[in-house]
Amino acid sequence: MNRQSNTYTIIYSIVLVLVVGVVLSVVYQALRPMQVENINNDTKRQILAAARIVPENGESIAELFTQHIKDSYLVDMAGNKADSSVDAFSVNVAAESKKPASERLLPVFECTTDNGLKYIIPVYGAGLWGPIWGYIAFDDNGDTIFGAYFAHQGETPGLGAEIEKPAFRSQFDGKDVFSANGDFTSVAVVKVGKEPQDKAWVHAVSGGTITSQGVQKMLFDSLEPYTTFLKNLSSKANQ
């Protein structure tokens, strides 16, 4: 075949594309298990961070997760463990957040800490530029927040992105999500001078108003379906 012809050029290009495609596919399949493991380990790190557990001295995230997360399960809006074969860790919280609350799969992770048993709940919402998400760890009274972890996809550095920093997250420690009369109120995220008197609050990120509002809405929308479950924990703790 004439190597200078258009036919040769087209055939050569097609063969080259096919070969490169096959090679890339093989490489992708070979690396996929490692990618999945890395994604899972990052999720485990975030869950543990909500309970203030951070790996040290080269500790394995996977081993630390196994050591501290003693149980995980799904609950329904009635506060009962759901009869489901779905693994709580595998639940796509982003997809579930788009469903009516009554239809959601609601994961719970039980975590042992030096400060007792904590119940960790995932949260998901929207910031200014994209999704925000995180995990909230509750004391065994089902009311008081022990720790919080937040992350984002594309919030502005120095502004909305500050929600992932300890200075913002640590404000949630010790906040109650129920009022004195037992109503679910969540936690308000407000500007300085706008602190409410009837619910727990934290100060918003300076210059990150929309992201801060997103965190407030995310907490309310994500935690409200767990209201009965959390109240059941409170009842159990008071027995």
Short mmCIF file of all heavy atoms in Angstrom, two decimals, residues 160-215:
data_model
loop_
_atom_site.label_atom_id
_atom_site.label_comp_id
_atom_site.label_asym_id
_atom_site.label_seq_id
_atom_site.Cartn_x
_atom_site.Cartn_y
_atom_site.Cartn_z
N GLY A 160 -15.34 30.63 51.03
CA GLY A 160 -16.19 29.48 51.31
C GLY A 160 -15.42 28.22 51.65
O GLY A 160 -15.88 27.37 52.41
N ALA A 161 -14.21 28.09 51.08
CA ALA A 161 -13.41 26.89 51.33
C ALA A 161 -13.00 26.75 52.79
O ALA A 161 -12.54 25.68 53.22
CB ALA A 161 -12.16 26.90 50.44
N GLU A 162 -13.16 27.82 53.57
CA GLU A 162 -12.79 27.79 54.99
C GLU A 162 -13.67 26.84 55.80
O GLU A 162 -13.34 26.55 56.95
CB GLU A 162 -12.87 29.20 55.57
CG GLU A 162 -11.87 30.18 54.98
CD GLU A 162 -10.43 29.77 55.28
OE1 GLU A 162 -10.07 29.66 56.46
OE2 GLU A 162 -9.67 29.55 54.30
N ILE A 163 -14.77 26.36 55.22
CA ILE A 163 -15.62 25.43 55.99
C ILE A 163 -14.88 24.15 56.34
O ILE A 163 -15.27 23.44 57.28
CB ILE A 163 -16.92 25.10 55.24
CG1 ILE A 163 -16.63 24.34 53.94
CG2 ILE A 163 -17.75 26.34 54.99
CD1 ILE A 163 -17.87 23.78 53.26
N GLU A 164 -13.82 23.82 55.58
CA GLU A 164 -13.10 22.59 55.86
C GLU A 164 -12.01 22.77 56.92
O GLU A 164 -11.41 21.80 57.35
CB GLU A 164 -12.46 22.06 54.58
CG GLU A 164 -11.36 22.94 54.02
CD GLU A 164 -10.77 22.40 52.73
OE1 GLU A 164 -11.22 21.32 52.26
OE2 GLU A 164 -9.87 23.07 52.17
N LYS A 165 -11.79 24.01 57.35
CA LYS A 165 -10.73 24.30 58.30
C LYS A 165 -11.21 24.05 59.74
O LYS A 165 -12.37 24.27 60.08
CB LYS A 165 -10.26 25.74 58.16
CG LYS A 165 -9.72 26.08 56.77
CD LYS A 165 -8.45 25.31 56.48
CE LYS A 165 -7.89 25.64 55.08
NZ LYS A 165 -7.49 27.05 54.94
N PRO A 166 -10.28 23.62 60.61
CA PRO A 166 -10.65 23.37 62.02
C PRO A 166 -11.27 24.58 62.71
O PRO A 166 -12.13 24.41 63.59
CB PRO A 166 -9.30 23.00 62.65
CG PRO A 166 -8.50 22.42 61.53
CD PRO A 166 -8.89 23.23 60.31
N ALA A 167 -10.85 25.79 62.34
CA ALA A 167 -11.39 26.98 63.00
C ALA A 167 -12.90 27.07 62.84
O ALA A 167 -13.61 27.54 63.75
CB ALA A 167 -10.72 28.24 62.43
N PHE A 168 -13.41 26.66 61.70
CA PHE A 168 -14.87 26.67 61.48
C PHE A 168 -15.50 25.41 62.07
O PHE A 168 -16.49 25.48 62.80
CB PHE A 168 -15.18 26.76 59.99
CG PHE A 168 -16.65 26.72 59.68
CD1 PHE A 168 -17.47 27.80 59.93
CD2 PHE A 168 -17.22 25.57 59.12
CE1 PHE A 168 -18.84 27.75 59.65
CE2 PHE A 168 -18.58 25.51 58.83
CZ PHE A 168 -19.39 26.60 59.10
N ARG A 169 -14.94 24.28 61.76
CA ARG A 169 -15.54 23.01 62.17
C ARG A 169 -15.63 22.87 63.70
O ARG A 169 -16.62 22.34 64.22
CB ARG A 169 -14.74 21.84 61.60
CG ARG A 169 -14.78 21.75 60.10
CD ARG A 169 -14.17 20.45 59.60
NE ARG A 169 -12.71 20.49 59.54
CZ ARG A 169 -11.91 19.73 60.25
NH1 ARG A 169 -12.41 18.88 61.12
NH2 ARG A 169 -10.60 19.81 60.12
N SER A 170 -14.62 23.33 64.39
CA SER A 170 -14.58 23.14 65.84
C SER A 170 -15.68 23.91 66.57
O SER A 170 -15.99 23.61 67.72
CB SER A 170 -13.21 23.54 66.39
OG SER A 170 -12.95 24.92 66.15
N GLN A 171 -16.26 24.91 65.89
CA GLN A 171 -17.35 25.66 66.52
C GLN A 171 -18.56 24.77 66.83
O GLN A 171 -19.36 25.09 67.72
CB GLN A 171 -17.81 26.80 65.60
CG GLN A 171 -16.82 27.90 65.37
CD GLN A 171 -17.46 29.01 64.55
OE1 GLN A 171 -18.10 29.92 65.09
NE2 GLN A 171 -17.31 28.94 63.24
N PHE A 172 -18.69 23.69 66.09
CA PHE A 172 -19.87 22.83 66.26
C PHE A 172 -19.76 21.92 67.48
O PHE A 172 -20.76 21.38 67.93
CB PHE A 172 -20.09 21.99 64.99
CG PHE A 172 -20.54 22.78 63.81
CD1 PHE A 172 -19.63 23.44 62.99
CD2 PHE A 172 -21.89 22.90 63.51
CE1 PHE A 172 -20.05 24.18 61.90
CE2 PHE A 172 -22.32 23.64 62.42
CZ PHE A 172 -21.40 24.29 61.62
N ASP A 173 -18.56 21.76 67.99
CA ASP A 173 -18.36 20.87 69.13
C ASP A 173 -19.20 21.36 70.32
O ASP A 173 -19.13 22.53 70.72
CB ASP A 173 -16.89 20.83 69.54
CG ASP A 173 -15.98 20.32 68.44
OD1 ASP A 173 -16.50 19.90 67.39
OD2 ASP A 173 -14.75 20.35 68.63
N GLY A 174 -20.00 20.47 70.87
CA GLY A 174 -20.79 20.80 72.04
C GLY A 174 -22.12 21.46 71.75
O GLY A 174 -22.88 21.75 72.69
N LYS A 175 -22.45 21.68 70.49
CA LYS A 175 -23.73 22.30 70.14
C LYS A 175 -24.85 21.25 70.16
O LYS A 175 -24.66 20.11 69.75
CB LYS A 175 -23.67 22.95 68.76
CG LYS A 175 -22.58 24.00 68.59
CD LYS A 175 -22.78 25.18 69.52
CE LYS A 175 -21.72 26.24 69.28
NZ LYS A 175 -21.87 27.40 70.20
N ASP A 176 -26.02 21.65 70.63
CA ASP A 176 -27.19 20.77 70.66
C ASP A 176 -28.10 21.06 69.47
O ASP A 176 -28.27 22.22 69.09
CB ASP A 176 -27.99 20.96 71.95
CG ASP A 176 -27.21 20.52 73.18
OD1 ASP A 176 -26.32 19.65 73.03
OD2 ASP A 176 -27.48 21.04 74.28
N VAL A 177 -28.68 20.01 68.90
CA VAL A 177 -29.55 20.19 67.73
C VAL A 177 -31.03 20.18 68.09
O VAL A 177 -31.87 20.36 67.22
CB VAL A 177 -29.27 19.09 66.67
CG1 VAL A 177 -27.85 19.21 66.15
CG2 VAL A 177 -29.54 17.69 67.23
N PHE A 178 -31.33 19.99 69.38
CA PHE A 178 -32.72 20.06 69.84
C PHE A 178 -32.88 21.22 70.82
O PHE A 178 -31.96 21.53 71.58
CB PHE A 178 -33.14 18.75 70.52
CG PHE A 178 -33.28 17.59 69.58
CD1 PHE A 178 -32.23 16.71 69.40
CD2 PHE A 178 -34.46 17.38 68.87
CE1 PHE A 178 -32.34 15.63 68.53
CE2 PHE A 178 -34.58 16.31 68.00
CZ PHE A 178 -33.52 15.43 67.83
N SER A 179 -34.05 21.84 70.79
CA SER A 179 -34.34 22.92 71.74
C SER A 179 -34.67 22.33 73.10
O SER A 179 -34.79 21.10 73.25
CB SER A 179 -35.52 23.76 71.24
OG SER A 179 -36.71 22.98 71.22
N ALA A 180 -34.85 23.19 74.08
CA ALA A 180 -35.15 22.74 75.44
C ALA A 180 -36.46 21.96 75.51
O ALA A 180 -36.62 21.07 76.34
CB ALA A 180 -35.21 23.94 76.39
N ASN A 181 -37.40 22.26 74.59
CA ASN A 181 -38.68 21.56 74.61
C ASN A 181 -38.71 20.35 73.67
O ASN A 181 -39.76 19.76 73.42
CB ASN A 181 -39.84 22.51 74.29
CG ASN A 181 -39.70 23.12 72.89
OD1 ASN A 181 -38.84 22.71 72.11
ND2 ASN A 181 -40.54 24.10 72.59
N GLY A 182 -37.54 20.02 73.12
CA GLY A 182 -37.44 18.79 72.32
C GLY A 182 -37.64 18.94 70.83
O GLY A 182 -37.65 17.94 70.11
N ASP A 183 -37.79 20.17 70.34
CA ASP A 183 -37.95 20.38 68.90
C ASP A 183 -36.59 20.33 68.20
O ASP A 183 -35.60 20.86 68.72
CB ASP A 183 -38.61 21.73 68.62
CG ASP A 183 -40.04 21.79 69.10
OD1 ASP A 183 -40.69 20.72 69.14
OD2 ASP A 183 -40.50 22.89 69.47
N PHE A 184 -36.56 19.72 67.01
CA PHE A 184 -35.33 19.71 66.24
C PHE A 184 -35.10 21.09 65.65
O PHE A 184 -35.94 21.61 64.92
CB PHE A 184 -35.40 18.67 65.12
CG PHE A 184 -34.21 18.70 64.21
CD1 PHE A 184 -32.99 18.19 64.63
CD2 PHE A 184 -34.29 19.25 62.94
CE1 PHE A 184 -31.88 18.23 63.80
CE2 PHE A 184 -33.19 19.29 62.10
CZ PHE A 184 -31.98 18.78 62.53
N THR A 185 -33.96 21.69 65.96
CA THR A 185 -33.66 23.03 65.48
C THR A 185 -32.38 23.08 64.66
O THR A 185 -32.10 24.10 64.02
CB THR A 185 -33.52 24.01 66.66
OG1 THR A 185 -32.52 23.51 67.57
CG2 THR A 185 -34.83 24.18 67.40
N SER A 186 -31.57 22.03 64.71
CA SER A 186 -30.28 21.98 64.04
C SER A 186 -29.36 23.07 64.60
O SER A 186 -29.52 23.50 65.75
CB SER A 186 -30.45 22.11 62.52
OG SER A 186 -29.22 21.86 61.87
N VAL A 187 -28.44 23.54 63.79
CA VAL A 187 -27.49 24.57 64.23
C VAL A 187 -27.50 25.70 63.20
O VAL A 187 -27.34 25.46 62.00
CB VAL A 187 -26.06 24.00 64.36
CG1 VAL A 187 -25.08 25.10 64.78
CG2 VAL A 187 -26.03 22.85 65.36
N ALA A 188 -27.68 26.92 63.66
CA ALA A 188 -27.68 28.07 62.77
C ALA A 188 -26.24 28.50 62.47
O ALA A 188 -25.37 28.41 63.33
CB ALA A 188 -28.45 29.23 63.40
N VAL A 189 -26.02 28.94 61.24
CA VAL A 189 -24.71 29.47 60.84
C VAL A 189 -24.93 30.93 60.49
O VAL A 189 -25.52 31.25 59.47
CB VAL A 189 -24.14 28.69 59.62
CG1 VAL A 189 -22.74 29.19 59.29
CG2 VAL A 189 -24.10 27.19 59.92
N VAL A 190 -24.47 31.82 61.38
CA VAL A 190 -24.89 33.22 61.29
C VAL A 190 -23.70 34.19 61.33
O VAL A 190 -22.60 33.83 61.75
CB VAL A 190 -25.84 33.57 62.46
CG1 VAL A 190 -27.10 32.71 62.40
CG2 VAL A 190 -25.13 33.37 63.80
N LYS A 191 -23.96 35.40 60.89
CA LYS A 191 -22.97 36.46 60.97
C LYS A 191 -22.85 36.96 62.40
O LYS A 191 -23.78 36.83 63.20
CB LYS A 191 -23.36 37.63 60.05
CG LYS A 191 -23.35 37.29 58.57
CD LYS A 191 -23.73 38.51 57.73
CE LYS A 191 -23.69 38.21 56.25
NZ LYS A 191 -24.06 39.38 55.43
N VAL A 192 -21.71 37.54 62.73
CA VAL A 192 -21.52 38.13 64.04
C VAL A 192 -22.57 39.21 64.27
O VAL A 192 -22.82 40.05 63.41
CB VAL A 192 -20.10 38.75 64.15
CG1 VAL A 192 -19.93 39.47 65.49
CG2 VAL A 192 -19.03 37.66 64.00
N GLY A 193 -23.21 39.16 65.42
CA GLY A 193 -24.26 40.11 65.75
C GLY A 193 -25.65 39.63 65.39
O GLY A 193 -26.64 40.28 65.74
N LYS A 194 -25.74 38.47 64.69
CA LYS A 194 -27.04 37.93 64.29
C LYS A 194 -27.35 36.62 65.03
O LYS A 194 -28.17 35.84 64.58
CB LYS A 194 -27.05 37.67 62.78
CG LYS A 194 -26.83 38.90 61.92
CD LYS A 194 -27.99 39.89 62.03
CE LYS A 194 -27.80 41.05 61.06
NZ LYS A 194 -28.93 42.02 61.14
N GLU A 195 -26.73 36.42 66.17
CA GLU A 195 -26.87 35.17 66.91
C GLU A 195 -28.30 35.00 67.43
O GLU A 195 -28.83 35.89 68.10
CB GLU A 195 -25.89 35.12 68.08
CG GLU A 195 -24.43 35.17 67.66
CD GLU A 195 -23.90 36.59 67.48
OE1 GLU A 195 -24.73 37.54 67.59
OE2 GLU A 195 -22.70 36.77 67.23
N PRO A 196 -28.96 33.87 67.13
CA PRO A 196 -30.32 33.63 67.62
C PRO A 196 -30.31 33.24 69.09
O PRO A 196 -29.30 32.76 69.62
CB PRO A 196 -30.80 32.47 66.75
CG PRO A 196 -29.55 31.73 66.41
CD PRO A 196 -28.48 32.77 66.26
N GLN A 197 -31.43 33.43 69.74
CA GLN A 197 -31.54 33.10 71.15
C GLN A 197 -32.23 31.76 71.39
O GLN A 197 -32.19 31.23 72.50
CB GLN A 197 -32.33 34.20 71.88
CG GLN A 197 -31.70 35.59 71.77
CD GLN A 197 -30.30 35.63 72.37
OE1 GLN A 197 -30.07 35.14 73.47
NE2 GLN A 197 -29.37 36.24 71.65
N ASP A 198 -32.84 31.21 70.35
CA ASP A 198 -33.66 30.03 70.55
C ASP A 198 -33.06 28.75 69.98
O ASP A 198 -33.72 27.72 69.93
CB ASP A 198 -35.04 30.24 69.94
CG ASP A 198 -34.97 30.56 68.45
OD1 ASP A 198 -33.87 30.88 67.96
OD2 ASP A 198 -36.02 30.49 67.78
N LYS A 199 -31.81 28.81 69.51
CA LYS A 199 -31.18 27.61 68.96
C LYS A 199 -29.66 27.75 69.04
O LYS A 199 -29.12 28.85 69.22
CB LYS A 199 -31.60 27.38 67.52
CG LYS A 199 -31.14 28.48 66.55
CD LYS A 199 -31.36 28.09 65.10
CE LYS A 199 -32.84 27.97 64.77
NZ LYS A 199 -33.05 27.66 63.33
N ALA A 200 -28.99 26.63 68.89
CA ALA A 200 -27.52 26.65 68.86
C ALA A 200 -27.05 27.33 67.58
O ALA A 200 -27.72 27.27 66.55
CB ALA A 200 -26.99 25.23 68.94
N TRP A 201 -25.90 27.96 67.63
CA TRP A 201 -25.39 28.67 66.46
C TRP A 201 -23.87 28.64 66.43
O TRP A 201 -23.21 28.40 67.44
CB TRP A 201 -25.87 30.12 66.46
CG TRP A 201 -25.54 30.86 67.74
CD1 TRP A 201 -26.34 30.99 68.84
CD2 TRP A 201 -24.30 31.52 68.06
NE1 TRP A 201 -25.71 31.70 69.83
CE2 TRP A 201 -24.45 32.03 69.39
CE3 TRP A 201 -23.12 31.73 67.39
CZ2 TRP A 201 -23.44 32.74 70.03
CZ3 TRP A 201 -22.09 32.43 68.02
CH2 TRP A 201 -22.26 32.93 69.32
N VAL A 202 -23.34 28.88 65.23
CA VAL A 202 -21.91 29.09 65.03
C VAL A 202 -21.76 30.29 64.11
O VAL A 202 -22.70 30.67 63.40
CB VAL A 202 -21.20 27.86 64.40
CG1 VAL A 202 -21.37 26.62 65.27
CG2 VAL A 202 -21.73 27.59 62.99
N HIS A 203 -20.60 30.88 64.12
CA HIS A 203 -20.37 32.04 63.25
C HIS A 203 -20.03 31.58 61.84
O HIS A 203 -19.27 30.63 61.63
CB HIS A 203 -19.25 32.92 63.80
CG HIS A 203 -19.69 33.76 64.95
ND1 HIS A 203 -18.92 33.96 66.08
CD2 HIS A 203 -20.85 34.45 65.17
CE1 HIS A 203 -19.57 34.75 66.92
NE2 HIS A 203 -20.74 35.05 66.40
N ALA A 204 -20.60 32.28 60.87
CA ALA A 204 -20.38 31.97 59.46
C ALA A 204 -18.95 32.30 59.05
O ALA A 204 -18.23 33.03 59.74
CB ALA A 204 -21.37 32.76 58.60
N VAL A 205 -18.55 31.74 57.93
CA VAL A 205 -17.25 32.05 57.36
C VAL A 205 -17.25 33.48 56.85
O VAL A 205 -18.16 33.89 56.12
CB VAL A 205 -16.92 31.08 56.20
CG1 VAL A 205 -15.65 31.50 55.48
CG2 VAL A 205 -16.79 29.66 56.72
N SER A 206 -16.25 34.24 57.22
CA SER A 206 -16.16 35.63 56.76
C SER A 206 -15.98 35.68 55.24
O SER A 206 -15.07 35.06 54.69
CB SER A 206 -14.96 36.31 57.43
OG SER A 206 -14.84 37.65 56.99
N GLY A 207 -16.90 36.37 54.58
CA GLY A 207 -16.84 36.48 53.13
C GLY A 207 -17.40 35.28 52.40
O GLY A 207 -17.37 35.24 51.16
N GLY A 208 -17.91 34.31 53.14
CA GLY A 208 -18.46 33.11 52.52
C GLY A 208 -19.92 32.92 52.89
O GLY A 208 -20.32 31.84 53.34
N THR A 209 -20.71 33.97 52.67
CA THR A 209 -22.12 33.96 53.10
C THR A 209 -22.92 32.82 52.48
O THR A 209 -23.62 32.08 53.19
CB THR A 209 -22.79 35.30 52.76
OG1 THR A 209 -22.09 36.36 53.42
CG2 THR A 209 -24.24 35.31 53.21
N ILE A 210 -22.82 32.66 51.17
CA ILE A 210 -23.64 31.64 50.50
C ILE A 210 -23.21 30.24 50.90
O ILE A 210 -24.05 29.36 51.14
CB ILE A 210 -23.57 31.82 48.97
CG1 ILE A 210 -24.20 33.16 48.58
CG2 ILE A 210 -24.28 30.67 48.26
CD1 ILE A 210 -24.17 33.46 47.09
N THR A 211 -21.91 30.03 51.02
CA THR A 211 -21.43 28.72 51.45
C THR A 211 -21.89 28.44 52.88
O THR A 211 -22.31 27.32 53.20
CB THR A 211 -19.89 28.64 51.38
OG1 THR A 211 -19.46 28.99 50.06
CG2 THR A 211 -19.40 27.25 51.71
N SER A 212 -21.82 29.44 53.74
CA SER A 212 -22.26 29.27 55.13
C SER A 212 -23.74 28.96 55.20
O SER A 212 -24.18 28.09 55.97
CB SER A 212 -21.95 30.55 55.93
OG SER A 212 -20.56 30.80 55.98
N GLN A 213 -24.52 29.64 54.38
CA GLN A 213 -25.95 29.33 54.32
C GLN A 213 -26.17 27.91 53.81
O GLN A 213 -27.10 27.22 54.25
CB GLN A 213 -26.66 30.34 53.41
CG GLN A 213 -26.70 31.75 53.98
CD GLN A 213 -27.25 32.76 52.99
OE1 GLN A 213 -27.38 32.50 51.78
NE2 GLN A 213 -27.60 33.95 53.48
N GLY A 214 -25.32 27.49 52.88
CA GLY A 214 -25.40 26.12 52.38
C GLY A 214 -25.13 25.10 53.46
O GLY A 214 -25.78 24.05 53.52
N VAL A 215 -24.17 25.39 54.34
CA VAL A 215 -23.88 24.49 55.46
C VAL A 215 -25.09 24.40 56.38
O VAL A 215 -25.49 23.32 56.82
CB VAL A 215 -22.64 24.96 56.24
CG1 VAL A 215 -22.47 24.15 57.52
CG2 VAL A 215 -21.39 24.84 55.38
#
